């Protein structure tokens, strides 16, 4: 949060808020080529993200700060909503630390004329793209894993007993029991899109009619 919201003050108290930041330490200097900032959004609104600044440094106190972007407002449009703000560097920079600054946001409804200031600084993901070091390798793009592991599904029908056993990763006698007749199914929500290579019901499931 950039500060305290005050509904009785101009712009919800924006003038009294602070520029706030996140800071990453990579543990050693890295050759940085680009930075991607993914921000939160609203279904029926567009944001203007206030006073964005991105800077890097070789020192933790940023005494030698190198500003890569800003300070400037970043206005979201219907075309750029939820897309990354990408900072591509014509010439890569070497740094150990990065700071991302913001001072809240201004929101404009798309289904009404309402607009106002909010103190939130919402970032869904931050990517700092750097050159690989000697000995580093890219992750295997084809690496697969069990994305249902540990997730509880939604169940259509009567609630089964011992539902957690259905995705505990163990193929033993500890299984879920479902005693609903007629149409019944399980549904998993992954909250991201995945390329699915295989589906399996090797974990025992007993359905009783």
């Amino acid at each position: 949060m950039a500060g305290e919201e005050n509904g009785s003050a101009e712009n919800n108290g924006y003038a009294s808020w602070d520029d706030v930041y996140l800071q990453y330490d990579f543990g050693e200097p890295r050759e940085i080529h680009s930075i991607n900032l993914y921000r939160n959004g609203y279904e029926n609104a567009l944001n203007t993200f206030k006073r964005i600044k991105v800077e890097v440094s070789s020192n933790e106190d940023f005494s030698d700060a190198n500003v890569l972007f800003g300070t400037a407002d970043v206005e979201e449009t219907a075309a750029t909503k939820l897309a990354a703000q990408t900072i591509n560097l014509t010439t890569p920079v070497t740094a150990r630390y990065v700071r991302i600054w913001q001072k809240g946001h201004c929101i404009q409804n798309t289904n009404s004329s309402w607009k106002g200031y909010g103190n939130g600084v919402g970032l869904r993901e931050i990517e700092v793209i750097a050159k690989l070091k000697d000995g580093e390798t890219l992750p295997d793009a084809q690496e697969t894993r069990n994305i249902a592991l540990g997730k509880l599904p939604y169940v259509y029908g009567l609630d089964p007993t011992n539902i957690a056993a259905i995705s505990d990763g163990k193929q033993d006698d500890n299984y879920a029991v479902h005693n609903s007749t007629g149409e019944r199914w399980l549904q998993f929500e992954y909250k991201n899109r995945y390329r699915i290579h295989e589906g399996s019901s090797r974990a025992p499931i007993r359905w009783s009619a």
Side-chain angles (χ1 to χ4, degrees), residues 44-91:
N44 296 309
L46 296 173
N47 287 291
T48 298
F49 306 103
K50 304 297 290 183
R51 291 183 55 81
I52 303 302
K53 182 170 71 171
V54 178
E55 58 182 344
V56 295
S57 175
S58 297
N59 300 307
E60 189 174 7
D61 63 1
F62 275 68
S63 56
D64 63 342
N66 180 4
V67 177
L68 306 182
F69 178 87
T71 302
D73 293 349
V74 174
E75 185 175 357
E76 186 179 56
T77 67
T80 63
K81 185 173 181 176
L82 297 182
Q85 177 193 352
T86 298
I87 303 166
N88 286 317
L89 305 181
T90 304
T91 302

Side-chain angles (χ1 to χ4, degrees), residues 159-178:
D159 289 337
T161 59
N162 199 25
I163 185 62
I166 210 164
S167 52
D168 65 2
K170 300 176 183 178
Q171 302 173 38
D172 53 23
D173 292 333
N174 179 37
Y175 47 76
V177 178
H178 195 297

Side-chain angles (χ1 to χ4, degrees), residues 79-109:
T80 63
K81 185 173 181 176
L82 297 182
Q85 177 193 352
T86 298
I87 303 166
N88 286 317
L89 305 181
T90 304
T91 302
V93 299
T94 298
R96 173 171 170 170
Y97 302 92
V98 61
R99 280 182 181 176
I100 298 100
W101 295 82
Q102 187 175 331
K103 187 182 177 182
H105 63 280
C106 182
I107 185 172
Q108 169 70 66
N109 276 6

Side-chain angles (χ1 to χ4, degrees), residues 135-179:
E136 274 189 328
T137 58
L138 289 171
D140 184 356
Q142 299 301 317
E143 180 182 0
T144 61
R145 60 187 175 88
N146 178 9
I147 58 175
L149 182 66
K151 296 184 182 297
L152 295 182
Y154 169 80
V155 180
Y156 181 84
L158 297 178
D159 289 337
T161 59
N162 199 25
I163 185 62
I166 210 164
S167 52
D168 65 2
K170 300 176 183 178
Q171 302 173 38
D172 53 23
D173 292 333
N174 179 37
Y175 47 76
V177 178
H178 195 297
N179 293 311

